[in-house]
Amino acid sequence: MKQKSTNTPSRLMRPALIGLAHAFALVVTAAAALPSFAQSPKRSELPDALLKDDAAEIESSEDTISLLDQLSKGRYSSRQQATLRMWGSRDELRDQVQRAARDSNPEVSGRAKWILDQWRRGTSPGMPPRVMRLLQKGDDPAAIVELIELGRFADAVVAVQESAQSIEFERIKQKVTNAFTMRFPFYIEHAMQDDSLPDLLRLIDLSAANKEMAVCRVRLMDAMGIKIDDDALLPSAAAQWVPALQDEAMVAIVMVRGEQDKAIELAKESSNDNLIRIGLMLGGRWQELADRSIKKTSLVDGDTSEKSSDQSMSLSEITRWVHVLVAADRCSDESKASQAIGVLSKVPSEQEGFGLAWKSLALHGQMELVLKMLDRKHPNELVDVALAASRPEAIFEKLNFRLSDLDSELHLWIDETIDKQLADIALLQQPAGGQGENRRGNQPAIGRRNIRDQVNPDVPNEAIIQLMGLMKCLLAVGRDDAAWEIAERLANEPLQFGPSRDPRPLRDYVVQNLLSTSRSEWVFQLVVAEDAKTVSATAQWCAARLLDDTESMTLRSMTDALKRLYRQASFPERFSMACDLLRGDMPQGFEPDRDFERLYEALNSRASVGFLNSRMPPLDRSQINHDYVKFFARHGQTELATKCLSDLARKGDLDAFYELALYEASSGNVQRADQFFDLTWKRARANGQSPGLKRFREADAIAGMKSLVGRWMGAKHQGDNVLAADFRRQIDLTLCSPSTEFCDSIAEHLADLGAESMAKEVYEVLLPMTAMGSAEATEFYDVARKYSTMIREQDGEAAVRWFDLAVGGTLESTYFRSSAYVTLPIYIRRWALEAAIDRNDRVAVAEHLSRLNQLDPMDISFAEEQLPKMRTAGMTELADKVFDELFERGKTHLKRFPMDVTVGNNVAWVAAMNDRRLDDAVELSERTVFLEPDSAIYRDTLAEILFRLGRKKEALHIEESCLLDDPTQWHLYEQVSKYRDALANESVQLPR
C-alpha cells in the first residue's frame, strides 16, 4: 500500500515511528529504479536537475548542512529530493552521510543508512530500473558480482569501497576474485567497449584475494602502458593479507617481470624456506640450494652411518634430504649427493615418506637401491619400476616365482592364489568373535579377529596382486602364453573384492592391470563374461580407455543403441560390436549403407535399457556427443557427422559452435566462420547471465577465448589489419587473466595454431606462478612439460632445463605412476644428450650416457637416434663402445628370456641404424620373425638389415609383403621406394 503524503507527519505519530517507517519504505521500494518513499515520480518524470551531477549544486558547507537538514525537515518531497541528491553525490558527501547514519533523529539515520546500503550494492540514481531490481535481490557480495557481469565496474568499485569495513568484506573479495578467475575474458570485452579499463583495474586493486589477482593487476598495468613503482607492486587489498601471502605475491610479481635475482633476495627476506627453494631452483642456483638444504638437515657432518636402517625420520626430514639430492645432483656435488643417497636408501618401508625416498632415488638413477627397497610389501611399485628399468629378473626374485618352474608350476600357483582369495572372503564373512563367545577362553576369537584385521576388503589379497605382477612380467619377456593363462583364469573366476555394499568382480582387476601392458588388446576379450547381461563401470572405463576419442558413457550408449538394431544379439556380442565400431573397424553383420543411418536414429531416441548397475543415471533422450561426431567422420559418414554437430549446436553446445566455425574456416568460408566464432563468444558470455556464481564455468571462458583467437586469425587472413589489431589487443589484455588453468589452455591452443611466440609469453608467466603453487588445479609439471616440448627444436638447452625442473622440482607435490619415475628421467637424459652432442660437449655426453645406462640398460631409443649423430660430431670411438655394450647386454638378456621378441627386434634395429654387427643382427631378426611371423614391424627390421648387407632383392620382397599386410604405415612406402631406387641404380650401373 502506498503511503499518503502529508505536510505535518509529526502530528499524526511519534517521530521515532516516522523515521523507522521512512527507512523501511526506502528499503522496500529500492527494488524499483529509484527510492520512492511515497508517490515518487518515475525516473522519466524527474526534473532534469536531479539527473545531473549533484556535485555542482553543493558548493559550500552551508549547502551541505542545508541538504542534511532537508532529510528531516520541510515537505516530504523535499526530503525525498535531498535523499536522491545525497545518493548521487557520494564523492562529496560520503563523510556527511556516514555521520548522518549515526544521527539521533531516526528519519535522518534511516535515510542515511539506506544511502550507504545502496552504495554498498553499487546502485546509483541513473541506473536502469531492470539493473536496480536485479541488484536488490541478493546480498551485497552477489550484488557486486552482478555489477561486474553487467560491466558497471565504476559502480562495483564504489560498492567494494563502501563494504571495506563490513563483516562481509572478505567474502566480497573472494567472490569478486572468483568471478574474475572464471569470467575475465568477458569483463575485458566490457571494459574495452565502454572505455572503462581504469575502473576494471581499480576494482582488481581493491578486491584482489590471492597472488594470481596481484599478478593480473601488474600485467594489466603493463599492457595498458601504466608505469608501476616498485613500492606499489602489491594491490591495495594486500594491506589486509597475512604476511606470508604478501611475500608470496611479491616474489611472484617480481619473477613474472623477469627479475629472478631480486625475487630470490625477496624470498630470503621473507625467511620462507619454500619460497627460497623455489627461487633458487628457478634461478638455477643449485649449489647454493644444496648448501642451504643440507644445513637444514639433522645430519651436517656427513656421517650417514648415524641413520641405521631401523631408525625412523620425520617426513619433513626426508623431504629435506630429497631437496639435497635434487640440488647436489644438478650441480655435480658428488659428496652431498652421496650423502643424501645414503640416508634416503635407509628409510624403512613402513615410514611415512618412504615413497618420496625411493622415488627421488629412482629419478637419479639409483635403480639397484630402489629395487632393494621395494619388496613383497610393495608388489605393484616393484613390478612397474623393474619393468620400466628393464630388470624383469628382479620381479621373479622378489615375488618368489622361479622362472625355471614356470611351465610345471603355473597351474599350481594360480590355484593357490584363488584358494587364498576364497579363504580371505570366508574369513571376512565370519563373525569377528569377542569376549564370551568361546567358553574355553577368548584367545581363539581374539586370534581370529587379529587375522581379520590384516585383511583389506577393498583390494584383492597379496597373492592376487603378486600373480598380476607375474603376468605383467611374463608379457614383458615374451611369455604371452603363460600370461594369458593367468589373465583368463582369474578373469573367469566368480570372485569379488571390495566392500560388501559395492563388491567388484576380480575381472575388473585383471583388465585394469592389462591396460599398461603390451597386450592391452586382451581387455576386449576379457572385459565381458560370455553369459553376461551387464558390464561394470570399471570394466567399461577400461575398454573405453583403449578406444580413440571415446568416453565411457559413449561406449555405454553405443552398446545400448545397437540393441535396437540387433535385438537377437547377446550383450557380449553387442558390446564387442560397439568396441569394433568405435575402434574404426567394421564388425561382422554390420551393413554400412544401412546401419550407420539406423545407428544415428537409435542414438537420437530415448534409451529404453541401461546395462550398468541401477545406481547409474538413466540415459537422456539423445546420446549424441562429440565422440560421435568423430566416430561418424572416422567411418567416412560426413553427413551424419555434420548432423551430430548440428544437433549439439541446437542444444547450445559451445564446442559444437566452435567446431562448426573451424569447419567453415577450413572450407574457405571465412565470413561464415567469423559468424560462428562470434556466436560461440556470445553463447559463452550468456552462460554467465543467470543468477548465482554457480553458473560460472571455466569452460565458457576457454571456449569464448578460442573463438576470439579464431576471429583474430580470420581477420589477418582477410587482410583486415585494423580489425586484426583490435582483436590482438583484446587477446593480449585477456591473457592477463588471473586463472592459470585458463591461461594454460589458451597457451596450448595458441601453440597448436602455430602462434608460438604468443604461447611462449603466456607460458613464461605461468611457469613461476605454478612453481609456487596455483590456486587452481594447474600443476607446474603440466605447464613446464608443454612449454619444454614446444621450444625443444628452437632451444634444446632451455627445454631440458624446464623438463628437468618439472620432474625433479615437484617430487613432493606431483604424483605419477611408479614407472614414470624411471621413464621421465630417461626422456630428460635423451634430450640432454642430444643437446650436448649439438654443442659438442664430450664430458656432458659421457655423463648422460652413463645415467641412461643406470636408468635402463636396455634403452635403445637414444642408440637409434643419437649414436649416429655422435659419429658425425667426431665421437666415433665412444659411440662404438656404447653400441657394443648395448648389443652385448641385449644378447645376454635374450639368452635368459629367448621369447622376448621386442628386445630381439629392437637390438637388431639399432644395429641396422648404426650399420654395425649386421651378421649378428640378422640372426636376431630372423628369430624374431620366426616367433612373430605376422608382424610387419619385425619383418621391416629384417628387410632393413638385409638391405644393408647388400641383399636388396630379398629386402624389397619382404618389404612389399609388409606393405600388403599393413598399408597404413607411411614408413613402409618410404622403405619400398628406397629399395626400388637402389635396385634401379644398380641395374643402370651394370656394364652392357
Side-chain angles (χ1 to χ4, degrees):
M1 178 180 296
K2 294 182 180 179
Q3 179 182 340
K4 294 182 179 180
S5 178
T6 176
N7 293 331
T8 57
S10 60
R11 296 178 181 178
L12 301 177
M13 58 182 68
R14 289 178 297 173
L17 291 177
I18 294 175
L20 290 174
H22 287 312
F24 175 76
L26 280 166
V27 174
V28 170
T29 57
L34 292 169
S36 55
F37 291 87
Q39 296 177 342
S40 60
K42 297 179 181 179
R43 183 176 185 273
S44 59
E45 299 171 352
L46 290 173
D48 291 340
L50 290 180
L51 304 179
K52 296 179 180 179
D53 185 0
D54 296 307
E57 300 181 20
I58 305 171
E59 300 177 351
S60 65
S61 60
E62 288 78 8
D63 292 332
T64 300
I65 294 172
S66 174
L67 198 59
L68 287 172
D69 287 342
Q70 290 178 25
L71 291 180
S72 61
K73 297 178 181 179
R75 296 170 58 88
Y76 181 80
S77 60
S78 299
R79 299 199 300 277
Q80 285 287 81
Q81 290 182 4
T83 304
L84 291 172
R85 285 187 174 187
M86 297 182 74
W87 179 19
S89 304
R90 175 182 173 273
D91 292 342
E92 295 76 17
L93 300 180
R94 184 171 180 268
D95 291 340
Q96 291 89 329
V97 173
Q98 287 180 331
R99 286 197 299 270
R102 298 189 295 271
D103 197 275
S104 59
N105 186 320
E107 183 173 0
V108 172
S109 61
R111 288 179 179 274
K113 288 176 181 177
W114 182 88
I115 293 170
L116 291 174
D117 183 62
Q118 299 312 301
W119 288 344
R120 280 194 296 272
R121 289 174 178 272
T123 64
S124 58
M127 192 171 281
R130 180 187 66 83
V131 177
M132 188 81 73
R133 287 192 296 271
L134 184 64
L135 296 179
Q136 298 297 337
K137 289 181 180 179
D139 56 11
D140 290 352
I144 294 172
V145 171
E146 295 296 345
L147 284 170
I148 299 171
E149 276 296 304
L150 295 168
R152 303 185 70 94
F153 305 120
D155 291 330
V157 166
V158 171
V160 170
Q161 289 174 328
E162 290 301 321
S163 303
Q165 304 303 319
S166 71
I167 59 174
E168 290 272 24
F169 191 51
E170 287 303 318
R171 184 163 162 252
I172 287 170
K173 288 195 297 183
Q174 194 57 59
K175 286 240 181 184
V176 172
T177 293
N178 290 343
F180 270 94
T181 301
M182 304 291 275
R183 303 275 295 172
F184 193 75
F186 311 117
Y187 302 160
I188 288 293
E189 180 196 34
H190 273 307
M192 291 183 68
Q193 289 178 346
D194 301 338
D195 198 22
S196 59
L197 279 171
D199 295 325
L200 178 74
L201 184 63
R202 180 62 174 149
L203 183 58
I204 294 172
D205 180 64
L206 293 170
S207 57
N210 56 28
K211 73 175 187 298
E212 286 79 9
M213 283 284 277
V215 172
C216 168
R217 169 182 169 269
V218 170
R219 296 190 64 222
L220 203 54
M221 292 174 74
D222 283 335
M224 293 168 63
I226 300 173
K227 185 178 179 181
I228 312 170
D229 295 332
D230 287 346
D231 57 353
L233 291 175
L234 290 178
S236 301
Q240 284 77 45
W241 291 358
V242 296
L245 181 55
Q246 292 175 344
D247 294 337
E248 188 178 341
M250 193 68 179
V251 171
I253 290 169
V254 174
M255 279 187 180
V256 165
R257 302 186 81 191
E259 302 175 74
Q260 191 64 51
D261 291 339
K262 182 179 178 180
I264 293 173
E265 294 308 311
L266 288 172
K268 290 178 178 178
E269 291 174 9
S270 74
S271 300
N272 183 320
D273 287 337
N274 188 52
L275 275 183
I276 297 170
R277 183 181 70 84
I278 292 170
L280 293 174
M281 181 179 74
L282 296 182
R285 289 158 62 166
W286 293 111
Q287 187 63 63
E288 184 178 352
L289 181 56
D291 295 340
R292 184 181 183 88
S293 298
I294 205 165
K295 290 177 181 178
K296 295 288 182 180
T297 65
S298 60
L299 181 65
V300 180
D301 58 7
D303 184 9
T304 57
S305 64
E306 291 183 17
K307 293 289 180 185
S308 63
S309 60
D310 59 351
Q311 185 176 352
S312 64
M313 290 187 290
S314 66
L315 176 61
S316 59
E317 190 173 359
I318 293 172
T319 302
R320 286 193 290 269
W321 278 110
V322 168
H323 294 164
V324 172
L325 177 57
V326 168
D329 186 71
R330 282 152 184 78
C331 64
S332 301
D333 190 332
E334 295 182 6
S335 174
K336 290 186 179 66
S338 177
Q339 203 171 329
I341 291 169
V343 172
L344 293 171
S345 64
K346 295 176 182 177
V347 175
S349 61
E350 63 276 4
Q351 172 74 43
E352 183 184 15
F354 171 76
L356 183 60
W358 77 253
K359 290 170 184 176
S360 64
L361 291 171
L363 282 178
H364 294 87
Q366 302 298 316
M367 301 314 306
E368 304 307 325
L369 288 175
V370 170
L371 293 175
K372 185 177 179 180
M373 294 171 71
L374 296 173
D375 52 23
R376 289 168 62 94
K377 295 179 182 178
H378 304 85
N380 290 325
E381 292 86 349
L382 170 66
V383 171
D384 287 348
V385 170
L387 293 182
S390 298
R391 292 169 171 87
E393 62 278 359
I395 299 174
F396 292 106
E397 177 187 345
K398 292 273 188 174
L399 300 185
N400 290 334
F401 292 117
R402 294 178 60 182
L403 185 60
S404 58
D405 295 338
L406 177 66
D407 293 319
S408 60
E409 300 293 326
L410 181 58
H411 291 290
L412 180 61
W413 293 344
I414 298 173
D415 289 339
E416 289 177 345
T417 298
I418 293 171
D419 289 343
K420 288 178 182 177
Q421 183 69 21
L422 287 169
D424 280 354
I425 293 173
L427 183 62
L428 288 168
Q429 292 173 347
Q430 294 178 9
Q435 195 165 5
E437 290 190 7
N438 189 337
R439 294 184 181 181
R440 297 186 180 183
N442 294 326
Q443 188 63 39
I446 293 174
R448 183 167 68 249
R449 185 169 63 249
N450 289 340
I451 296 173
R452 281 170 53 91
D453 291 344
Q454 297 175 18
V455 177
N456 184 355
D458 293 336
V459 295
N461 68 17
E462 184 177 307
I464 293 282
I465 296 173
Q466 291 177 359
L467 197 61
M468 281 291 96
L470 176 62
M471 179 195 74
K472 290 181 178 180
C473 188
L474 291 170
L475 286 173
V477 299
R479 287 302 308 268
D480 293 14
D481 55 332
W484 173 255
E485 185 172 349
I486 295 172
E488 186 182 36
R489 281 283 308 276
L490 292 186
N492 289 316
E493 282 292 331
L495 295 175
Q496 293 182 324
F497 66 97
S500 59
R501 66 183 180 279
D502 187 23
R504 295 172 54 196
L506 193 57
R507 181 181 301 275
D508 286 4
Y509 189 69
V510 174
V511 296
Q512 277 183 292
N513 276 269
L514 283 169
L515 282 178
S516 60
T517 69
S518 60
R519 290 295 186 183
S520 58
E521 71 272 13
W522 287 359
V523 167
F524 297 113
Q525 297 173 254
L526 298 173
V527 68
V528 181
E530 291 183 3
D531 57 348
K533 305 294 184 185
T534 63
V535 65
S536 72
T538 299
Q540 177 182 277
W541 177 86
C542 291
R545 277 285 303 272
L546 299 174
L547 301 169
D548 291 337
D549 301 314
T550 302
E551 295 293 332
S552 182
M553 290 304 294
T554 302
L555 178 55
R556 174 193 175 189
S557 60
M558 172 75 82
T559 307
D560 189 74
L562 286 170
K563 184 173 184 178
R564 301 185 187 91
L565 275 66
Y566 304 97
R567 296 188 179 278
Q568 302 304 315
S570 66
F571 175 79
E573 290 171 337
R574 287 186 283 113
F575 191 87
S576 177
M577 289 181 72
C579 291
D580 286 343
L581 285 167
L582 290 166
R583 195 166 40 223
D585 299 331
M586 204 63 63
Q588 186 175 1
F590 190 89
E591 297 292 338
D593 295 339
R594 176 198 66 186
D595 289 343
F596 276 120
E597 183 69 38
R598 294 173 63 207
L599 180 59
Y600 169 80
E601 295 298 333
L603 290 167
N604 256 326
S605 62
R606 182 175 296 279
S608 57
V609 178
F611 57 82
L612 295 174
N613 59 61
S614 59
R615 287 186 296 276
M616 294 296 293
L619 295 177
D620 194 5
R621 179 171 180 78
S622 173
Q623 302 307 305
I624 298 299
N625 59 30
H626 285 274
D627 291 349
Y628 284 115
V629 177
K630 297 171 185 174
F631 162 74
F632 284 116
R634 189 159 52 241
H635 283 282
Q637 302 294 317
T638 308
E639 185 176 340
L640 292 177
T642 305
K643 276 187 178 182
C644 291
L645 208 54
S646 299
D647 292 341
L648 291 169
R650 277 192 291 270
K651 292 193 292 186
D653 187 287
L654 284 178
D655 290 332
F657 286 113
Y658 182 73
E659 290 296 329
L660 287 169
L662 292 181
Y663 172 77
E664 296 293 346
S666 64
S667 302
N669 302 322
V670 179
Q671 186 174 359
R672 187 163 171 77
D674 185 72
Q675 292 173 350
F676 274 113
F677 282 134
D678 186 41
L679 185 57
T680 305
W681 173 273
K682 289 175 180 175
R683 290 275 183 156
R685 183 181 59 198
N687 281 351
Q689 299 303 314
S690 58
L693 266 179
K694 63 183 179 182
R695 68 193 183 222
F696 293 164
R697 300 184 311 149
E698 193 100 54
D700 293 334
I702 293 171
M705 185 62 171
K706 286 182 177 180
S707 68
L708 179 61
V709 172
R711 298 194 73 187
W712 166 60
M713 299 191 80
K716 286 204 305 179
H717 179 75
Q718 289 188 301
D720 191 337
N721 296 329
V722 174
L723 183 60
D726 288 343
F727 283 138
R728 176 60 191 268
R729 171 69 171 161
Q730 187 175 347
I731 290 169
D732 289 341
L733 290 171
T734 304
L735 287 174
C736 298
S737 168
S739 170
T740 54
E741 184 176 341
F742 168 82
C743 291
D744 182 33
S745 296
I746 300 306
E748 186 176 13
H749 180 65
L750 289 169
D752 290 341
L753 294 176
E756 293 186 351
S757 60
M758 292 175 66
K760 187 172 183 287
E761 292 177 7
V762 181
Y763 278 129
E764 287 173 351
V765 173
L766 284 174
L767 287 166
M769 290 290 293
T770 53
M772 298 174 64
S774 169
E776 298 174 282
T778 318
E779 294 283 356
F780 172 62
Y781 169 79
D782 294 326
V783 174
R785 176 182 54 80
K786 293 172 189 174
Y787 177 66
S788 59
T789 302
M790 184 186 76
I791 67 170
R792 184 184 174 195
E793 291 187 6
Q794 292 76 30
D795 192 347
E797 296 287 344
V800 171
R801 172 175 172 262
W802 283 110
F803 196 4
D804 182 47
L805 282 170
V807 177
T810 60
L811 260 170
E812 65 267 37
S813 60
T814 307
Y815 300 91
F816 308 106
R817 286 179 53 87
S818 299
S819 58
Y821 295 96
V822 181
T823 56
L824 286 176
I826 287 175
Y827 276 113
I828 293 168
R829 289 291 171 168
R830 287 175 187 166
W831 289 17
L833 174 62
E834 183 177 14
I837 294 171
D838 289 343
R839 66 176 185 270
N840 204 15
D841 187 340
R842 295 172 182 248
V843 174
V845 167
E847 176 190 338
H848 297 315
L849 288 170
S850 175
R851 181 59 61 85
L852 281 167
N853 183 49
Q854 287 179 274
L855 287 162
D856 181 2
M858 293 305 302
D859 178 44
I860 64 104
S861 293
F862 81 89
E864 172 188 352
E865 300 169 3
Q866 303 307 324
L867 293 186
K869 284 187 178 181
M870 288 174 61
R871 294 188 182 92
T872 302
M875 306 179 201
T876 302
E877 184 177 349
L878 178 58
D880 290 347
K881 178 176 179 294
V882 170
F883 170 81
D884 289 339
E885 290 174 351
L886 177 62
F887 195 88
E888 288 302 319
R889 285 196 297 271
K891 290 177 65 177
T892 301
H893 174 90
L894 290 169
K895 286 180 181 177
R896 185 166 189 181
F897 305 108
M899 305 295 287
D900 192 346
V901 291
T902 300
V903 168
N905 176 74
N906 290 346
V907 171
W909 179 256
V910 167
M913 292 299 98
N914 284 271
D915 217 16
R916 290 179 60 80
R917 305 281 292 267
L918 295 180
D919 290 333
D920 291 336
V922 78
E923 291 182 14
L924 293 178
S925 186
E926 285 175 342
R927 175 169 175 75
T928 299
V929 171
F930 173 77
L931 293 172
E932 292 279 356
D934 295 332
S935 171
I937 295 174
Y938 297 163
R939 283 182 284 146
D940 170 61
T941 298
L942 177 59
E944 181 65 21
I945 297 171
L946 293 173
F947 176 78
R948 290 172 182 260
L949 286 170
R951 298 159 62 177
K952 296 181 177 63
K953 289 184 179 180
E954 293 176 73
L956 178 60
H957 176 73
I958 293 172
E959 203 68 28
E960 288 175 335
S961 70
C962 293
L963 189 56
L964 290 173
D965 290 346
D966 194 356
T968 62
Q969 294 293 325
W970 182 251
H971 164 77
L972 299 180
Y973 289 93
E974 294 177 323
Q975 291 290 85
V976 168
S977 178
K978 180 175 74 172
Y979 299 163
R980 285 175 177 170
D981 289 346
L983 285 170
N985 289 335
E986 278 189 355
S987 62
V988 169
Q989 295 172 6
L990 290 175
R992 296 187 180 274

